[in-house]
Amino acid sequence: MHVTPLLTVGPMDERIVMVDSDTGLELTEEQLDERSAVATVQLRRRGVRAGDTVLICLPVGPDLLVATDAVIAAGGVACPVPADLDAAALSARIIASRARVMISDLPQALEAADESRVRIVMSVADLSVLHSCPGSR
Amino acid sequence: MPEPPRHNLPAEPNRFVGRERDLDDLRGLFGETRVVTLCGVGGIGKTRLALRVAAGLVTAYPDGVWLVELARIGRPELIPQEVARVLGVREEANRPLLDTVTARLRGMRCLLLLDNCEHLVDRCAEVAAALIATCPRLSILATSREPLRIASELIWRVPPLDLPDAGPQAEEAEAVQLFMDRATAAGTRLGPGSLADVIRLCRALDGLPLALELAAARTRLLSPGQIADRIDDRFSLLTTGGRTAPARQRTLLAAVEWSYDLLSVKEQVLLRRLSVFAGGFDLELAEQVCAERPISAAEIVDLLGGLVDKSLVSCDESRRRYSLLETIKRYAIERLEQAGEREVLRERHLDVLCALQERHFSAEMVEPGLPWPRRLEALTMSKRLLDDQRVALDWAAEAGNVAQGLRLCATSTSLLPIGGNLTEIVAWIERLLSLDLAHVAPEQVAHAKAYLAYGLEARDELSRSLELAEQSLAGLAPDNVFPRCVMHSLTVVVLLRMGRADEAVPHAEEGLALATRSGDAWNQAAGLLGLSALALTRGRLREAQRHGEEALARAREHGHRWIMARTAAQLGAVAEARGDLVTAKSQYEMAVPWLRELRSELDLARCLARIGRVAAMLHEFGTARECLGTSLALGRATGQRQGVARCLVGLSVLAEYEGDLEGAILAAGAAATLRESIGQHSATTRIEELLARARTKLGDGRTTSLWSRGLAMSPDDAARHVLEGERLAPRPRMETTAPAETVRHSLLTARELEIAHLLTRGLSNRGIAEELVISPATVARHIANIMEKLGYTSRAQIAVWAAEHPNVPG
């Protein structure tokens, strides 16, 4: 078998899958694959199993895409909650859900989690750290 | 010796219902996470869940699972003390207790369960962070209304129990299950006809376990439907504070208030008064503190039984020890304050504690002619009151009742070094003496200073101790004989330790004369002990023997095992000094059962080390090994570096007598390093003699190299070398990675290996998916699996690994 120790990147991988409208930063397919792979492992470490619903309350952007891909790869059901909902509606959506895990950085989402059945809230940062002990909010 | 239990988790009081998946997930988290905090409102079941999680982890933690109940601790500085108590670690002189605890936990794989952190959350966070940072194999499970907010903490929000959906499975919902279980336990049979009401009630109570338990306890008198109606009404009656609280808290408060309001007036009074206790309490204590209009002492047993039946008070299986759940206790405190009874009750609690501890102290130490079992009982009862004593002392300081506070300090051996508690007495007395002393009799201040001096000696603060002992003697009334005698004995000890034996003689004589006149056997023994020690220091062996024998006779007359063990040790030392090793050993051995009875590990460790050393010199190597091994284990378990160093010296003697000079030098070297680390001097004469003998036999170079190797050796390694006859191992080689690699390979499935190799081509998930004709999501799942199995953190690492391992299908 031919071995390529140095990784070459084919044209498909450089394909840009998203441009962050706020920052203008681009997310390539390779970056998406990489980040969601790490995020999948993190979700599993916190107990996400096949069939589990995971709430995702993030603004539209690369993080949302990564989180959604990761939840699906972990075998979960991604349930997005629009981050721009007003506080009451956001809270109602979270409280009504039976999800055990939520991915969000929004303070109002965190607050609603306290009154919901969500056990673990993961931040975007929690999705990417793999070395150190996991933190969460 | 039998294997000691590897946990201190209490038996479950009743059936644990539901939360199967949560238990599974939580236990799974501990594979990766070091700190998990279960958060949520009071009554949601954090403690019960934590205990259940912890029980399931006992096999995963070979060094144990240890519950530290913080609810009964009122002051943040007592947290390390409570952790130490649970772990059996004892304070070392001149070292912060937390450092000793950390050192003890450093190599241990254990789980600490810190229960009810919320009232001390800042200090809990500091302690947890310090332990996690230095003890790499330690995990912490905490329960708290608020998170600890430390790095590496995983906050796990405890939800209420699952509520019933509409439909045939409603009966299986966790909330319904719990309610039914507790109703049955209360003696109520609920037929299928009541299911609809039970479901309504479970929903009204939001699935909160405590609320469900309180409701279920009332099913003998009220139907589930009636309870649901009344609790609904309760929401509108909530006091102002409750109305703005989050929903769950409101529901719980409504349930607790409802349950409280249903109590008889006397039950209400008792429940709120029970909130003054630190933690668990027994009937007698409740009777003494809580019996006041409108309830009489005789009624309390029935009232308490009623509160247990209504799930407002918990009790152990034997119905001897009662306690309040934290949530109920807080509610009861509020009611107590509202009734304007807080001051009165806390004052009463303090008074009762003073009276009880005084009685126990007198029975344990002072009263002549009591049999030992009676003294031991008093000691045990006094120790059991320690938590309440702390709460009472806190109140004394808070209310400025210095006189009662000092009185309580002077009447308890559990606060003193004799009870294994080195510094606590110092902190309490210093705190009280810093307050306004205008209303305190000088005699009482002098009495307190006696115990302060006593504590300071244990902390090696000799000159301060001496100064306070002098002040105390100057201020104590001539007829306050017991503390006067104690001060004379203490002065003898301090002066001896300071090398001022001559000044000590008059104190020893005066203390003895006073004690003899008053017929106080304890202090006679202590005085004679001092005289024997003084004679020994001056080389007057026959005199030392005579005083020692007489001391033992007086000690036996008193019966207290502590003073008996002390005098036996003194007689052993005297025998050793005259070279009579056989007698020395038998004197030391005499003390062993006494110290075991007292559960005084530190004294026992010291005694066993002495026996071991003497046995080695008598060529009784088996006994020596056993005693030194046990002593070493005790020293390590209690975190006493001094104790470990003492054993290493004993092991050095043992090795030399066995002809193992190498081991003798290594153990002596390790002991010297350890002693230096605690600022202690080693007995240099013995070391020099040992090294001189070694040079003759082994040569200069070998001796020097062994000595420096011993200096650098860990105490454990040095001890093992002698105890197990382990030879010096060659220097450790670099670990090879080959076996691990084979394992890694076999972990991956054929498909995963295939994908790993496709990654070396730099393909994206979509690229790989096209190649293998599967979906990109499936590829992503395979890649996550590979990362988990190989412990990698990026796709690139998988690619590099696959590139380096081409000999696999791919």
Side-chain angles (χ1 to χ4, degrees), chain B residues 440-458:
Chain B
V440 187
E443 164 78 15
Q444 220 197 340
V445 174
H447 196 161
K449 281 182 178 171
Y451 290 95
L452 179 54
Y454 199 88
L456 288 169
E457 188 270 332

Side-chain angles (χ1 to χ4, degrees), chain B residues 108-285:
Chain B
M108 283 169 60
R109 171 135 182 81
C110 63
L111 174 71
L112 279 188
L113 167 45
L114 304 179
D115 190 29
N116 277 313
C117 296
E118 55 272 342
H119 61 304
L120 305 166
V121 72
D122 292 339
R123 183 65 184 140
C124 274
E126 284 165 20
V127 169
L131 291 175
I132 284 296
T134 29
C135 311
R137 303 173 70 207
L138 172 77
S139 305
I140 292 179
L141 173 61
T143 75
S144 177
R145 295 181 188 196
E146 294 294 318
L148 301 182
R149 300 191 200 288
I150 55 175
S152 82
E153 176 190 31
L154 190 139
I155 300 165
W156 205 95
R157 293 164 172 80
V158 179
L161 295 178
D162 275 342
L163 289 170
D165 292 321
Q169 260 97 54
E171 234 175 305
E172 281 153 36
E174 293 172 343
V176 176
Q177 291 279 314
L178 179 73
F179 183 84
M180 294 303 228
D181 184 82
R182 299 303 190 257
T184 310
T188 316
R189 277 204 178 165
L190 294 171
S194 50
L195 184 62
D197 281 335
V198 172
I199 291 172
R200 183 159 68 93
L201 179 57
C202 288
R203 290 199 184 125
L205 295 177
D206 204 8
L208 286 168
L210 179 57
L212 291 166
E213 302 227 6
L214 292 175
R218 301 301 190 146
T219 44
R220 269 160 75 179
L221 296 172
L222 296 167
S223 73
Q226 286 171 311
I227 299 176
D229 291 341
R230 286 162 200 230
I231 289 206
D232 266 349
D233 294 343
R234 266 275 131 216
F235 282 107
S236 54
L237 296 175
L238 274 185
T239 41
T240 35
R243 230 174 283 144
T244 50
R248 280 177 196 165
Q249 222 167 304
R250 239 169 25 227
T251 308
L252 190 87
L253 187 58
V256 175
E257 273 194 352
W258 166 79
S259 184
Y260 182 82
D261 288 351
L262 279 185
L263 295 174
S264 73
V265 174
K266 287 185 177 182
E267 283 173 330
Q268 288 183 348
V269 172
L270 180 60
L271 181 65
R272 65 184 187 233
R273 288 184 182 169
L274 293 175
S275 71
V276 295
F277 297 120
F281 54 90
D282 55 22
L283 178 64
E284 290 73 29
L285 191 61

Side-chain angles (χ1 to χ4, degrees), chain A residues 29 33 44 52 100 116, chain B residues 21-22 248 765-766 785:
Chain A
E29 183 157 355
D33 287 351
R44 284 189 180 167
D52 282 356
R100 307 172 61 86
S116 75
Chain B
R21 167 79 193 269
D22 292 337
R248 280 177 196 165
N765 287 2
R766 205 157 45 87
N785 287 341

Side-chain angles (χ1 to χ4, degrees), chain A residues 121-134:
Chain A
V121 180
M122 293 176 72
S123 66
V124 169
D126 291 334
L127 291 177
S128 60
V129 193
L130 209 60
H131 301 279
S132 60
C133 306

Side-chain angles (χ1 to χ4, degrees), chain B residues 229-352:
Chain B
D229 291 341
R230 286 162 200 230
I231 289 206
D232 266 349
D233 294 343
R234 266 275 131 216
F235 282 107
S236 54
L237 296 175
L238 274 185
T239 41
T240 35
R243 230 174 283 144
T244 50
R248 280 177 196 165
Q249 222 167 304
R250 239 169 25 227
T251 308
L252 190 87
L253 187 58
V256 175
E257 273 194 352
W258 166 79
S259 184
Y260 182 82
D261 288 351
L262 279 185
L263 295 174
S264 73
V265 174
K266 287 185 177 182
E267 283 173 330
Q268 288 183 348
V269 172
L270 180 60
L271 181 65
R272 65 184 187 233
R273 288 184 182 169
L274 293 175
S275 71
V276 295
F277 297 120
F281 54 90
D282 55 22
L283 178 64
E284 290 73 29
L285 191 61
E287 284 172 343
Q288 292 187 55
V289 176
C290 303
E292 181 71 59
R293 266 184 3 102
I295 44 181
S296 69
E299 288 174 295
I300 287 189
V301 63
D302 285 339
L303 292 173
L304 206 47
L307 291 173
V308 170
D309 292 343
K310 282 148 197 147
S311 290
L312 286 160
V313 170
S314 336
C315 67
D316 65 1
E317 278 171 337
S318 61
R319 283 220 164 199
R320 295 178 67 90
R321 200 113 179 113
Y322 301 86
S323 61
L324 264 60
L325 279 180
E326 193 49 20
T327 309
I328 304 289
K329 185 175 165 184
R330 285 181 185 216
Y331 180 79
I333 289 174
E334 276 178 33
R335 292 283 79 81
L336 189 70
E337 276 173 13
Q338 213 170 45
E341 283 188 337
R342 179 171 174 263
E343 280 75 20
V344 181
L345 252 289
R346 294 208 66 176
E347 206 61 41
R348 204 181 154 82
H349 180 253
L350 171 61
D351 291 347
V352 168

Side-chain angles (χ1 to χ4, degrees), chain B residues 12 38 50 68 102 138 208 286 315 338-339 346 361 421 460 486 512 563 578 625 630 640 678 769 777 785:
Chain B
E12 292 192 272
L38 301 185
V68 183
T102 319
L138 172 77
L208 286 168
C315 67
Q338 213 170 45
R346 294 208 66 176
F361 186 80
N421 201 338
D460 295 343
V486 171
L512 177 60
I563 192 85
R578 60 167 189 267
R625 194 163 258 113
T630 311
Q640 303 297 303
I678 43 180
N785 287 341

Side-chain angles (χ1 to χ4, degrees), chain B residues 90-109:
Chain B
R90 301 297 197 82
E91 189 169 2
E92 293 178 276
N94 295 316
R95 191 188 201 189
L97 184 54
L98 188 56
D99 289 0
T100 307
V101 170
T102 319
R104 172 67 189 131
L105 286 174
R106 192 161 289 144
M108 283 169 60
R109 171 135 182 81

